[in-house]
Amino acid sequence: MEQLNTFNRLSLNQITTDRLSLPEAVEACVRADIPWIALWRHKLAQTGLIEAKRLIRDSGLQVSSICRGGMFPAATAEERRQRMDDNRRAVEEAAELGADILVLVCGPAPDKDIAAARLMVEEGIAELVPYAESHGITLGIEPLHPMYAAERSVINLLSQANEIAERYRPNQVGVVVDVFHVWWDPALYEQIARAAGRIVGYHVSDWIVPTPDLLMGRGMMGDGVIDLRRIRKAVEAAGYNGPIEVEIFNKAIWELDGDESLALMKHRYLEHA
Amino acid sequence: MEQLNTFNRLSLNQITTDRLSLPEAVEACVRADIPWIALWRHKLAQTGLIEAKRLIRDSGLQVSSICRGGMFPAATAEERRQRMDDNRRAVEEAAELGADILVLVCGPAPDKDIAAARLMVEEGIAELVPYAESHGITLGIEPLHPMYAAERSVINLLSQANEIAERYRPNQVGVVVDVFHVWWDPALYEQIARAAGRIVGYHVSDWIVPTPDLLMGRGMMGDGVIDLRRIRKAVEAAGYNGPIEVEIFNKAIWELDGDESLALMKHRYLEHA
């Protein structure tokens, strides 16, 4: 299968260089000729939205997505209302920064009723869609690995994300395919094909063996067991040719010098993604 | 939903008291009036099969299952043949010890081709079935949590286990439902119902939050977020009324005194299972 041979689609998901501030990450991307960046809201908050907007504009970088909205389920109606307010702020920030996509990490259940939490996610998305659409933002449902079901998201399969997204127009709600979360799914290729025209993000990293940690155990592309190229080709066959975000939670990678980390990422991107 | 009110179905899966030898675990079960035990082959090997058989017979304990056969996929035909030999030994040991069930942990892929590994699992089971049947042993396919896909098993959903088991008669191949592995699955109740008449084992523990470790992070029933009673009722509605194994990998629980551990287990079993 054909290799990627340019960096046109490469996006630095900011969490991969967690030690860098937003200004530092932007500068590092510019130095490394990486054209895209995905921004995290806690980093935005540190820099301030106005300053972040200026930095992005001056740098010429494009914003592939904002991470993250979601976290819909909560124990009380009041808490769910607060979450919805925060989601509206996330939409506004995405629009301000010129991102098309707000990534949704849908949230865990507040109790043992995971089915009820899944309904709260569906209701939360239904409520957020008109506001997002009025701001030109597409919501991207990212299914998270089942090992995060109790702490981060009750949407754990691409089939769940597809089922919700299909209730909306593609410019309203799409799905985000992150190889780390979905590589093991026996229905992966069937569900990627089903998502044709609705894939709004593609994230790469690798699954390393032995896996050292639930959260911090992601690897750089090529260091693990994921058939990255096969998944990318499937995603492209489903019509997605947008940015490819490198999103890695890994202490060793976080401890690299920023420029070194980006150089390694670029090398592995061509070699393995 | 109704509580369990006797210990008739309670089985100690030996890994829950990992520090105890087989003789010690057998004695502890007898002292605690626990009628069932599930044996691990590495513990059997330490004691020796003949001595283990004598201990079990003299104790009056019943063996709910032997853990484990499986590990079918391998890089070469020669390795796969060796794995099959070992599976035949596992069947023989199960038969010697009077167990009806050999639990299958099906194994990881030897490379990045997880689909090919899944085929090797199907072929391995097909090859093992006649030998198991001739020894009166039912193979129990246990789907493992997707976080173990790279290191322990490429069978990660109850739907996969059902699909394979349905090719055989129920006395040949069944499925083992372990709440830790399947609790998050949006298709759980549908797949439990589908498995009616083919469930040959039910394992309990809990999913604790935050989850400290991929392997050693299981909790005692009641310490986590799994809706244990709802799952048990579904398994019973699907016709399973056999032993309920408590299977917990957790350093803190392993460090408890054996009698204390079993007392805690019994208490939580009635309270939460």
Side-chain angles (χ1 to χ4, degrees), chain A residues 145-254:
Chain A
H145 194 285
M147 71 184 172
Y148 300 131
E151 295 182 69
R152 286 177 182 78
S153 180
V154 293
I155 303 300
N156 308 109
L157 295 170
L158 190 49
S159 60
Q160 291 176 276
N162 276 332
E163 199 176 309
I164 300 173
E166 285 166 0
R167 298 173 193 170
Y168 302 93
R169 291 193 303 277
N171 71 313
Q172 294 175 315
V173 182
V175 301
V176 174
V177 177
D178 182 316
V179 298
F180 182 82
H181 297 305
V182 301
W183 72 276
W184 61 272
D185 185 350
L188 176 60
Y189 295 99
E190 175 192 323
Q191 293 296 327
I192 287 175
R194 175 182 170 186
R198 294 187 175 279
I199 299 174
V200 296
Y202 179 54
H203 298 179
V204 295
S205 63
D206 215 331
W207 185 283
I208 48 180
V209 173
T211 314
D213 185 76
L214 273 87
L215 181 61
M216 297 298 291
R218 297 196 200 187
M220 187 59 82
M221 297 79 77
D223 285 341
V225 300
I226 302 179
D227 194 344
L228 292 167
R229 199 150 292 165
R230 186 172 173 205
I231 301 178
R232 174 173 61 83
K233 298 306 282 186
V235 162
E236 289 171 357
Y240 183 74
N241 287 289
I244 300 176
E245 292 185 14
V246 177
E247 184 184 31
I248 305 178
F249 295 73
N250 180 305
K251 211 162 157 40
I253 290 171
W254 286 4

Side-chain angles (χ1 to χ4, degrees), chain A residues 22 39 44 47-57 97:
Chain A
L22 177 56
L39 304 174
L44 280 174
T47 301
L49 188 61
I50 292 169
E51 173 65 4
K53 195 176 165 178
R54 189 193 64 73
L55 279 167
I56 296 291
R57 192 191 53 215
L97 289 157

Side-chain angles (χ1 to χ4, degrees), chain A residues 25-96:
Chain A
V26 165
E27 283 164 29
C29 283
V30 169
R31 271 197 304 276
D33 274 327
I34 292 173
W36 295 88
I37 191 166
L39 304 174
W40 279 63
R41 292 181 67 212
H42 68 285
K43 299 273 190 186
L44 280 174
Q46 285 159 12
T47 301
L49 188 61
I50 292 169
E51 173 65 4
K53 195 176 165 178
R54 189 193 64 73
L55 279 167
I56 296 291
R57 192 191 53 215
D58 292 354
S59 70
L61 289 178
Q62 289 180 275
V63 178
S64 55
S65 72
I66 301 293
C67 192
R68 58 185 166 68
M71 296 289 156
F72 299 106
T76 67
E78 174 54 26
E79 282 174 276
R80 290 197 292 281
R81 205 156 28 238
Q82 286 167 9
R83 307 282 177 100
M84 194 52 62
D85 286 341
D86 187 59
N87 273 300
R88 289 197 195 90
R89 298 301 83 72
V91 164
E92 293 160 10
E93 290 172 20
E96 280 290 322

Side-chain angles (χ1 to χ4, degrees), chain A residues 108-109 111-115 117-118 145-154 156, chain B residues 143-147 156-158 177-189 192 202-203 205-209 211 224-228 230-231:
Chain A
D111 53 28
K112 295 189 183 191
D113 194 345
I114 192 167
R118 285 169 171 151
H145 194 285
M147 71 184 172
Y148 300 131
E151 295 182 69
R152 286 177 182 78
S153 180
V154 293
N156 308 109
Chain B
L144 256 54
H145 194 286
M147 72 185 172
N156 308 108
L157 295 170
L158 189 49
V177 177
D178 181 317
V179 297
F180 182 82
H181 297 304
V182 301
W183 72 277
W184 62 274
D185 186 349
L188 177 60
Y189 295 98
I192 287 175
Y202 179 53
H203 298 181
S205 62
D206 215 332
W207 185 283
I208 47 180
V209 172
T211 315
V225 299
I226 302 179
D227 193 344
L228 291 167
R230 187 173 172 205
I231 300 177

Side-chain angles (χ1 to χ4, degrees), chain B residues 213-231:
Chain B
D213 185 76
L214 273 88
L215 181 61
M216 296 299 290
R218 296 195 200 189
M220 186 59 83
M221 296 80 76
D223 285 341
V225 299
I226 302 179
D227 193 344
L228 291 167
R229 199 151 291 165
R230 187 173 172 205
I231 300 177

Side-chain angles (χ1 to χ4, degrees), chain A residues 109-149:
Chain A
D111 53 28
K112 295 189 183 191
D113 194 345
I114 192 167
R118 285 169 171 151
L119 281 178
M120 290 183 210
V121 169
E122 295 177 27
E123 291 165 5
I125 290 173
E127 191 176 338
L128 189 58
V129 162
Y131 195 77
E133 190 175 19
S134 72
H135 286 72
I137 297 298
T138 302
L139 303 176
I141 305 173
E142 181 172 350
L144 255 54
H145 194 285
M147 71 184 172
Y148 300 131

